[in-house]
Amino acid sequence: MVNGYGVTIPLDRDEEGRRLLNGNISRYGASLTQPYSMQHQSQPYGMSNMATERESLTKSHSVHGGGSLSYLTPLQLGRHELYEMIPFTAVFGMQKKEKNMSKAFASYAADLQAFEDDQKLFAQTKQHLSAAELVSRKSYTSLILLDELEMDSLLITTPLIIAVLVSGMSQFLVGFNTGVMNSSSSAVFVGHSTFEWSIAVATFCLGGPFGAIVAGSTVDKRGRRGALAINAYTFLVGGLLQTFALNMMCITLGRLVIGFASGFSTVLVPIYLGELAPPTLRGTLGTLTQFCLVFGILVSDLLAFPFADEQRWRILFALTPAVSIVQILCIPFLIESPRWLLAKDQKSLLARHIIKQLRGLRHDYEVETEVNHFISASNVQCCDNADKLLINMIKDKNLMRLLVCSLFLQMAQQLSGINAVFYYSSMFFEGLIDNPLVGTSIVGAVNCLATYIALLLMEKSNRRTLILWSAGGMLVSSVALVFCLLGYFNKMLSLCFVIGYVSFFEIGLGPIPWLIVAEMFEAKYVATAMSASCQLNWACNFIVGLCFPYLQEKLGPYSFVPFAIVLLITIVFVIVWLPETKGTTPEELRVEIVRSLSSMFALSDDSTNDDHESGAGNLDVEWSRAMNDLRRQEEEDMIRGTFNFGFQPIEQKEADEQHDVITPDVSDWKSRITGGLGI
């Protein structure tokens, strides 16, 4: 068998690892009693059977924030941690963080499993496992659990596919309307002034921040599905205003409405997909929506060839209302976010039905486990009072530094001048190459390719390194472009320098300012930091869109010099101030997971374990004692014939009539686990 990380595991070893994972007790939630069976194989996520009818604690348990007991297998607890530590946002390039967290938990769980086996052997033979055997057990258990955790990223259900397609249309329209004015500048209402055209282009960015602000409240009041419908209708209205415009004023008004819808979409789509997708799939969906955006820019460039003239430019603009109508027709097939439904009512049956469809679950206890993941993660990431969180971030010295870095990178992203290329490259290429549309289309195609290359680089390279390479490459390209415009190089080379400029942007300054917010902040701060970053990003975008035509008129060949200055400042800032976020290794995440899991259990500190230094501290000691008591209880059930092997429910009343119930002395470990709460 080949696992998801390219490691070949012999089949018998694979089965052994699964029995280790699902058939033994671990201190954080494995079942002692459930054998690995065909029924187990058929269950999503590899869940063990859960005998919910039994009142005795036949599984280890954790305590949710609401005080209720939750019976979790190692796999379920691993998913629980992923839900809590990965924000409910689909962000481009977040796959690395998701994989690191999965590796961290798998390693942690494997260590605890090996320690349990070692303690069991020591209790029977007074000998510990050899170092080689410990390593072997840890390795196979870790690989099996890691494969199971990563299984979420392969579970693509029909409701999720529909949600991705409809959401992707919104991001496609954002990209399309970013580039459509670029290719049609010489065809729409010929004779317009520079001021009229720059206002029409920049108004798109003026509507963006207002759309982002309104989206935050709308998604909470109307739900994610309802907000997506509102967004589609807004695109439809803006597209119709542009398509049937009577003059440049109507074009400007249509751009304002479409800008509002675009800002709305940039907030809504990551939230909606992030709340539908399992944690290990959120980065992938964020990447897909980013590709929809850059593909939209490319389509606007390609469609300009047949339609960017004085007679047919309205056909070019008509694509926006056409796509919006398709979205509206798909709205009835969309599902609501289960997280939003559970926030309104934790007992929502609709939320449970949606989760069952979305995850491909078949059993109620599986659905309830998933519901608990949503509720617990929502409580951890709760940001009901965004203003208060922002004030706390400003007051905290470390958080303030991270916030400044996030905001600065958003400014650098836009003030580097990238949207001057996407808004005005056709105008810029006039006089430099024979057909400006060819140059614009080539830049759009390179933009798509560079986005894919950026995805590969972000898997392997540090964030600071990528930003430095990105800003440095853009700086060199902009300086070379200035020399080209001054006549020192062949003017045809200007196309090459613009391509280099866009390519270097996409590997660093393009995606990382958004990704770094999700990586630098705790999950509960991500939404607030993302909101502030979004507002500043749109404001700087508006400045570039409005001012570049005047820079080109006044500075001529030196029009890219201001952007070069911004890039130079960015390089200095990154070297001096920006922390590295990609360095959150599985080992560092594992420390955080140990801390997080330890806080889930109500354990006292009155016990220590000095016999085996490889133990995991007081938590392991308490669990070891508790599991010994549980093992004894289940062995007695097996002797009496009343043990539930998961094939059929055991009626407790019938068992009581035939046998006297033997109750082990569990008061001591129960009091340590519950802290004397009498649970």
Side-chain angles (χ1 to χ4, degrees):
M1 171 186 176
V2 180
N3 80 326
Y5 288 80
V7 178
T8 302
I9 307 175
L11 184 59
D12 58 336
R13 282 294 197 175
D14 178 51
E15 296 296 330
E16 176 186 350
R18 291 186 183 275
R19 286 195 294 271
L20 287 172
L21 178 61
N22 297 288
N24 297 333
I25 267 188
S26 292
R27 274 158 292 282
Y28 50 87
S31 167
L32 170 69
T33 64
Q34 306 301 333
Y36 182 65
S37 63
M38 293 304 294
Q39 180 179 1
H40 172 87
Q41 285 180 322
S42 66
Q43 293 176 353
Y45 315 124
M47 293 180 177
S48 299
N49 294 321
M50 302 176 72
T52 56
E53 296 86 2
R54 300 192 59 174
E55 296 181 0
S56 57
L57 299 181
T58 57
K59 290 178 182 287
S60 53
H61 64 280
S62 64
V63 181
H64 282 306
S68 61
L69 289 177
S70 174
Y71 299 83
L72 300 176
T73 65
L75 177 62
Q76 293 164 353
L77 191 55
R79 298 184 71 250
H80 182 90
E81 286 299 298
L82 291 176
Y83 266 92
E84 289 192 351
M85 298 182 71
I86 296 178
F88 282 104
T89 307
V91 179
F92 174 67
M94 202 164 59
Q95 293 93 319
K96 186 65 176 179
K97 180 177 181 179
E98 296 165 354
K99 288 183 180 180
N100 279 351
M101 291 199 62
S102 297
K103 290 179 182 179
F105 183 84
S107 175
Y108 171 75
D111 282 351
L112 289 183
Q113 181 68 66
F115 177 67
E116 170 67 24
D117 294 341
D118 180 79
Q119 291 294 297
K120 182 178 178 180
L121 179 65
F122 183 77
Q124 295 174 350
T125 66
K126 302 302 179 183
Q127 293 182 348
H128 289 294
L129 291 171
S130 66
E133 184 64 21
L134 279 173
V135 171
S136 176
R137 288 173 181 261
K138 290 179 183 179
S139 175
Y140 283 111
T141 304
S142 176
L143 287 173
I144 295 300
L145 184 54
L146 188 59
D147 275 346
E148 294 285 354
L149 288 173
E150 291 294 324
M151 188 63 66
D152 278 348
S153 62
L154 304 177
L155 184 64
I156 309 296
T157 56
T158 300
L160 184 59
I161 293 174
I162 295 174
V164 171
L165 290 176
V166 177
S167 302
M169 291 181 196
S170 292
Q171 291 299 93
F172 171 85
L173 289 178
V174 174
F176 180 81
N177 286 282
T178 297
V180 70
M181 297 291 281
N182 181 11
S183 53
S184 59
S185 59
S186 60
V188 178
F189 295 115
V190 178
H192 57 257
S193 66
T194 301
F195 176 77
E196 288 177 320
W197 192 255
S198 62
I199 285 293
V201 171
T203 303
F204 173 80
C205 308
L206 189 62
F210 290 103
I213 293 172
V214 173
S217 58
T218 304
V219 295
D220 289 333
K221 292 179 181 178
R222 301 296 300 272
R224 285 41 167 166
R225 180 173 176 268
L228 200 57
I230 293 173
N231 191 50
Y233 279 107
T234 307
F235 269 120
L236 176 61
V237 172
L240 291 175
L241 284 173
Q242 279 193 148
T243 303
F244 299 103
L246 300 176
N247 49 42
M248 283 300 300
M249 182 62 69
C250 293
I251 293 287
T252 302
L253 182 59
R255 291 284 292 175
L256 180 64
V257 176
I258 289 177
F260 180 93
S262 297
F264 198 103
S265 177
T266 56
V267 172
L268 169 62
V269 170
I271 292 175
Y272 181 56
L273 294 182
E275 292 180 351
L276 294 184
T280 53
L281 194 58
R282 290 170 191 165
T284 300
L285 296 189
T287 301
L288 287 177
T289 56
Q290 178 66 20
F291 274 106
C292 288
L293 191 148
V294 297
F295 181 67
I297 297 175
L298 176 60
V299 169
S300 71
D301 297 332
L302 295 177
L303 290 182
F305 284 98
F307 300 122
D309 56 42
E310 297 181 32
Q311 289 77 35
R312 291 176 291 183
W313 60 265
R314 295 182 190 274
I315 300 176
L316 183 62
F317 285 164
L319 184 63
T320 296
V323 174
S324 301
I325 291 173
V326 174
Q327 274 190 295
I328 293 169
L329 294 176
C330 293
I331 293 297
F333 302 100
L334 286 178
I335 57 174
E336 183 53 86
S337 162
R339 185 194 181 198
W340 182 78
L341 292 171
L342 291 171
K344 298 296 181 183
D345 178 14
Q346 292 189 2
K347 298 181 181 179
S348 171
L349 295 179
L350 178 58
R352 285 161 172 79
H353 176 70
I354 289 174
I355 289 174
K356 194 170 186 177
Q357 286 185 314
L358 197 59
R359 299 290 187 264
L361 305 177
R362 291 181 294 173
H363 305 290
D364 289 343
Y365 66 80
E366 296 172 337
V367 175
E368 290 303 318
T369 299
E370 196 75 6
V371 167
N372 286 333
H373 293 335
F374 272 98
I375 294 174
S376 177
S378 296
N379 291 336
V380 170
Q381 301 181 27
C382 180
C383 57
D384 291 336
N385 194 335
D387 293 336
K388 184 177 179 181
L389 278 178
L390 184 59
I391 293 173
N392 291 340
M393 293 168 68
I394 294 174
K395 289 181 178 180
D396 187 293
K397 182 179 179 180
N398 293 329
L399 290 177
M400 182 61 182
R401 178 191 177 190
L402 299 181
L403 182 61
V404 169
C405 290
S406 300
L407 296 178
F408 180 87
L409 288 179
Q410 296 295 334
M411 293 176 60
Q413 182 193 73
Q414 292 301 326
L415 297 182
S416 66
I418 188 62
N419 276 324
V421 175
F422 293 133
Y423 292 155
Y424 300 109
S425 64
S426 294
M427 183 189 303
F428 178 80
F429 285 136
E430 286 183 2
L432 297 179
I433 60 178
D434 295 334
N435 189 346
L437 290 181
V438 173
T440 299
S441 300
I442 292 174
V443 170
V446 170
N447 186 35
C448 292
L449 179 61
T451 301
Y452 176 71
I453 295 174
L455 179 64
L456 301 179
L457 290 176
M458 284 191 293
E459 291 283 324
K460 302 177 181 179
S461 304
N462 295 334
R463 310 308 184 214
R464 291 177 77 251
T465 302
L466 283 178
I467 291 181
L468 288 173
W469 273 102
S470 176
M474 292 178 71
L475 175 61
V476 172
S477 298
S478 59
V479 172
L481 188 58
V482 170
F483 280 104
C484 183
L485 295 176
L486 288 172
Y488 290 98
F489 304 116
N490 190 320
K491 289 187 176 182
M492 284 295 295
L493 289 177
S494 61
L495 176 60
C496 299
F497 294 136
V498 172
I499 290 174
Y501 189 80
V502 172
S503 299
F504 278 111
F505 173 82
E506 288 296 346
I507 69 170
L509 276 179
I512 290 180
W514 298 108
L515 172 63
I516 210 168
V517 174
E519 292 186 335
M520 286 197 303
F521 291 98
E522 293 181 40
K524 65 180 180 180
Y525 293 113
V526 169
T528 302
M530 198 75 79
S531 177
S533 299
C534 184
Q535 300 299 318
L536 184 59
N537 186 283
W538 278 108
C540 295
N541 194 347
F542 173 77
I543 293 172
V544 172
L546 181 64
C547 296
F548 182 73
Y550 295 99
L551 289 177
Q552 192 171 20
E553 282 187 2
K554 302 297 182 181
L555 300 180
Y558 298 99
S559 56
F560 270 73
V561 170
F563 303 142
I565 295 174
V566 171
L567 291 166
L568 181 60
I569 295 173
T570 301
I571 293 173
V572 174
F573 179 89
V574 170
I575 293 174
V576 174
W577 196 257
L578 183 68
E580 177 56 61
T581 60
K582 193 251 181 187
T584 308
T585 62
E587 290 73 21
E588 294 168 334
L589 285 170
R590 183 181 167 193
V591 174
E592 175 64 18
I593 287 174
V594 172
R595 182 200 62 77
S596 174
L597 290 177
S598 297
S599 67
M600 291 175 62
F601 301 98
L603 299 173
S604 64
D605 296 330
D606 59 354
S607 302
T608 58
N609 180 16
D610 298 327
D611 296 332
H612 201 285
E613 295 181 358
S614 66
N618 292 338
L619 176 62
D620 293 323
V621 176
E622 299 299 336
W623 271 111
S624 183
R625 294 178 180 180
M627 294 306 105
N628 287 334
D629 288 331
L630 293 179
R631 185 185 296 109
R632 184 172 65 253
Q633 177 187 354
E634 293 184 339
E635 288 173 352
E636 291 168 351
D637 286 346
M638 292 179 187
I639 294 174
R640 293 196 312 268
T642 61
F643 179 72
N644 182 1
F645 285 92
F647 302 112
Q648 61 183 8
I650 299 296
E651 297 293 338
Q652 189 65 39
K653 291 183 179 180
E654 295 180 4
D656 290 344
E657 291 176 358
Q658 298 178 11
H659 302 280
D660 294 331
V661 178
I662 301 175
T663 305
D665 182 14
V666 297
S667 59
D668 180 51
W669 70 263
K670 277 189 176 181
S671 65
R672 288 194 297 271
I673 291 180
T674 63
L677 296 177
I679 296 177

